[in-house]
Amino acid sequence: MGEVILTMKDIDKSFPGVHALDHVNFEVKRGEVHALMGENGAGKSTLMKVLTGIYQKDSGTITYKGKETEFHNTREAQDAGVVIVHQELNMIGDLTVAQNIFIGREPKKGIRVDDKKMIEDSKKLFQDLNIEIDPREKMSNLTVGKQQMCEIAKAISHKAEVIIFDEPSAALTEKEIADLFEIIKDLRKKGLGIVYISHRMDEIKVITDRVTVMRDGGYVGTLITAESSKEDIINMMVGRVIYEDPKEHSMVAPDAPVVLKVEHLNAGKMVQDVSFELHKGEILGFSGLMGAGRTETARALFGADPKQSGTISIMDKSGQLREVTINSPQDAVKYGIGYLSEDRRRYGVVVQKSVTENTTLATMEEFCNGLFINKSKEKKVTEKYVKELATKTPTTDQLVVNLSGGNQQKVVIAKWLTRDSEILIFDEPTRGIDVGAKNEIYKLMSKLAAEGKSIIMISSEMTEILRMSDRIIIMCEGKVTGNIDISEATQERIMDKATRNIE
Ligand SMILES: Nc1ncnc2c1ncn2[C@@H]1O[C@H](COP(=O)(O)OP(=O)(O)OP(=O)(O)O)[C@@H](O)[C@H]1O
Ligand SMILES: [Mg+2]
């Protein structure tokens, strides 16, 4: 680690009804990766937004390269070499990858944008980072993981001296995270100061040099990572110890009926001859690398994407498995299927609406029109879930855009829980959720399963798969490559099947 490049001292910031930052201190040295940790809503993103000029602080001082500094907007911060990779994706879907990366600073040829140079420069950038993305591709065609990689490439393309990664790994697979870590190590070697925000404790141990913990907008303390245990850090964050034991046996009754049977499903390139069964009260984990076809399978099943062939059967009220036709999400909802999407920006929440509206009303605009919910229950239901999921919001009337990332995710979960679906598909349900709240969501999922709901849980986190699933389906390149009971599952067996096609 080198000299201090950035110091934030006594930073205070309030929003209406929320004291988001309460005299926070933070420091970054050249050549260090400094983790910023804390529960959902602790103030991590806000502190970094104050630093990069997105928000203006109420008081406190920022010293950058020895000079007291205040950035009034992101542009000023970028020009000075302080860049942020945001928690929420900020790319424009209709533009190409290259256009997104160079937006607002396009290379020019005369008065025209020099497309050729823009594409060449993007190519070079990706090459340096060892990322395989075509700069001419439309952004909306990329997976969430790839879009995240573009955000990272864009940040690096500014001549940065301090880079802030606000939960970069939340959308990435183990393999992509490994690539990202190589990039970060390289930046560290070059003497950049790096801020790394993540809820994944394992990553913190691997990649960071120091950890600063925040709680409820306040500064708790700073530790040297190598000298601290996982438990130390969690304890500092939430004030108690949390255990993460894997599940040993399936909790599903041996005679539990099949509630969903998918046979020979084909949908596009990523879903090839997929067959599986889901039992009543089961949590069926879907494991695999990003791009394995798990989300695509869920979307085809839910009617969000077209299917080419295959059959879907669902248990009807009389307990009979019956073949159904699902051509749209409306059909799926009618048959009692709920889908919590991995991409909350696109399908999860309407950020300009309140917590209540998102939980109960208009929630399915993207999927269904005119779904009716008893209005008088709205507030009560919302308050119930705010409490149950410990969603941090001043009131249920708060606009979702003002909630922290993890708390937005909780709103999405609440929304599907109010739907009373018999079959719930959770796609990366705890992405970006802090350890304490994660625990709450796990408890809630277990409770739902115990009450007889059946759950498909797509997850890229191995600990989550091993802790929650009764059975695990593994996919690789659009095909099912494994189906393992939890009692026989190990990380190695899953990884082995996730990386090859033939059993
Ligand atoms: N623009 C805003 N208006 C009102 N409140 C806000 C705004 N931005 C953030 N907040 C509130 O400030 C607090 C801190 O939020 P912040 O996004 O910094 O949390 P975080 O630590 O990044 O959490 P997460 O881990 O969930 O991303 C939260 O209570 C949040 O709701
Ligand atoms: Mg945040």
Side-chain angles (χ1 to χ4, degrees), residues 336-356:
I337 305 179
Y339 177 42
L340 180 114
S341 151
E342 66 168 341
D343 182 354
R344 63 174 168 260
R345 242 314 165 60
R346 235 185 298 178
Y347 307 106
V349 285
V350 185
V351 290
Q352 291 301 343
K353 291 198 169 176
S354 74
V355 173
T356 301

Side-chain angles (χ1 to χ4, degrees), residues 85-128:
V85 179
H86 284 288
Q87 183 169 15
E88 305 294 336
L89 297 171
N90 279 302
M91 295 292 188
I92 299 165
D94 284 337
L95 299 185
T96 65
V97 168
Q99 284 167 335
N100 268 290
I101 290 179
F102 289 98
I103 195 160
R105 51 182 180 126
E106 293 86 354
K108 294 273 168 62
K109 203 178 195 176
I111 51 161
R112 287 266 194 87
V113 172
D114 188 348
D115 278 317
K116 221 172 131 204
K117 179 160 177 10
M118 205 158 73
I119 288 164
E120 283 313 309
D121 288 354
S122 306
K123 266 193 189 150
K124 175 140 194 324
L125 192 60
F126 287 136
Q127 245 162 30
D128 287 349

